[in-house]
Amino acid sequence: MSALFEIHNLAKHNWDNGDQASKYIFSQLSAEITEPERIALIGASGQGKSTLLRILALLDTPDEGDLLLDGASYKNTNVRLWRMGVSYVAQQAVMLPGSVEDNLRMVSKLHGLAYDSVLAAQLLKQLGLDYLDLGKQAADCSGGEKQRISLIRSLLLRPRILLLDEITASLDINSTQKVEELLMDWHLKEETLLIWVTHDLEQARRISNRTWVMGRGELQDHSSDSFFAEPVAVLAQKFIQPVKGSL
Ligand SMILES: Nc1ncnc2c1ncn2[C@@H]1O[C@H](COP(=O)(O)OP(=O)(O)OP(=O)(O)O)[C@@H](O)[C@H]1O
Ligand SMILES: [Mg+2]
């Protein structure tokens, strides 16, 4: 049986051709995910975490390597179908023109699916957004509201793989807790594979069973139990602070 998701020798060239710069942002990245796990992706700023997630969702193209979803290469898969299965929730939530409801309906429309208004209402409530007027212009929502709307937009697709890019960065503690609870619950019920970028190591510990550390163009894979055996403050010094000699 093929793995759920495979990354084979993935590489992305660096735009910067300066003397010091490496040819690659990252290269020879490989990973095999056989079960719907919860992966925390951590690493200092500029190491390529967002670039990697965008490539996994085919919003950007790899320069080398392959990606396989259920054993099928992205090279032989229709991009729209791939994005139905692998959904990226951006670091900077981008709202489409129109109302909040237009935004929620848009993904179903795009993929020719029926809009599940009951699920949308339930998710809005669970994320503390039930006060929101759905007729409000999405562009007028706050940063934290936009982040949760864009998360709901992705959940409505029921993707196999959910790529979460610092999605609680502009949320207060209370809303962050709601997002974490919802996603842990969703993961259990829907068996969705989560790959979640965060700079908050306490959050990484709470939400993951596996930790990927990105730095110096490489990806290290740890079980979260063994990774978080060390105190978070020590790990932050080692892995989150910009490392001398890195990008
Ligand atoms: N071809 C490329 N595609 C994307 N980014 C590139 C490329 N070439 C160079 N870069 C640079 O590589 C870095 C990767 O940025 P990216 O947003 O992926 O990092 P990140 O790990 O998500 O950082 P942060 O934690 O700050 O969000 C940026 O400095 C970007 O300008
Ligand atoms: Mg990023």
Side-chain angles (χ1 to χ4, degrees):
M1 214 178 78
S2 49
L4 167 56
F5 197 59
E6 290 162 71
I7 301 174
H8 288 306
N9 294 321
L10 203 69
K12 185 72 180 166
H13 291 157
N14 204 333
W15 289 315
D16 190 348
N17 290 320
D19 291 346
Q20 299 296 313
S22 144
K23 184 184 170 198
Y24 295 104
I25 314 178
F26 51 76
S27 65
Q28 305 235 302
L29 286 199
S30 292
E32 186 176 291
I33 304 161
T34 49
E35 287 169 39
E37 299 190 90
R38 292 169 283 114
I39 300 171
L41 176 54
I42 65 168
S45 246
Q47 297 295 314
K49 303 181 297 295
S50 297
T51 308
L52 174 63
L53 290 200
R54 288 178 52 77
I55 290 174
L56 300 187
L58 300 190
L59 294 162
D60 201 343
T61 44
D63 291 314
E64 295 168 24
D66 203 356
L67 302 168
L68 278 73
L69 179 60
D70 290 323
S73 164
Y74 82 95
K75 293 169 187 166
N76 306 321
T77 312
N78 170 292
V79 176
R80 190 186 62 74
L81 287 180
W82 184 278
R83 291 205 195 122
M84 244 174 103
V86 185
S87 186
Y88 174 69
V89 186
Q91 191 166 357
Q92 308 281 341
V94 181
M95 293 289 101
L96 304 162
S99 66
V100 172
E101 184 163 5
D102 291 336
N103 267 268
L104 295 177
R105 284 179 176 273
M106 197 67 77
V107 277
S108 322
K109 211 172 174 179
L110 218 78
H111 292 285
L113 303 169
Y115 174 63
D116 190 340
S117 59
V118 175
L119 178 59
Q122 183 197 318
L123 294 171
L124 284 161
K125 185 155 188 276
Q126 276 179 283
L127 292 183
L129 287 175
D130 39 349
Y131 65 87
L132 209 61
D133 170 9
L134 294 188
K136 181 175 173 161
Q137 285 301 298
D140 295 339
C141 290
S142 75
E145 288 168 344
K146 285 179 188 166
Q147 267 191 324
R148 282 172 288 169
I149 293 165
S150 84
L151 172 61
I152 296 173
R153 222 168 37 186
S154 284
L155 290 174
L156 287 171
L157 273 178
R158 291 196 147 92
R160 306 275 314 280
I161 302 175
L162 202 48
L163 307 171
L164 307 161
D165 201 349
E166 298 191 44
I167 55 159
T168 59
S170 27
L171 299 184
D172 58 48
I173 294 173
N174 192 18
S175 303
T176 297
Q177 197 181 342
K178 287 194 163 98
V179 169
E180 288 181 13
E181 280 170 8
L182 172 90
L183 284 169
M184 293 305 100
D185 190 44
W186 184 273
H187 164 80
L188 273 181
K189 288 191 183 136
E190 300 281 330
E191 301 194 329
T192 311
L193 163 64
L194 306 180
I195 306 182
W196 189 331
V197 173
T198 179
H199 285 287
D200 176 349
L201 289 184
E202 291 292 358
Q203 178 173 63
R205 172 157 59 183
R206 284 193 298 272
I207 56 89
S208 71
N209 67 294
R210 198 159 155 181
T211 302
W212 285 356
V213 185
M214 213 168 169
R216 300 177 191 272
E218 292 172 4
L219 190 70
Q220 291 172 17
D221 184 4
H222 304 266
S223 95
S224 294
D225 276 350
S226 61
F227 186 75
F228 288 104
E230 268 195 282
V232 157
V234 176
L235 293 169
Q237 277 291 333
K238 274 196 201 164
F239 298 111
I240 303 286
Q241 315 274 336
V243 192
K244 270 198 189 123
S246 73
L247 286 184

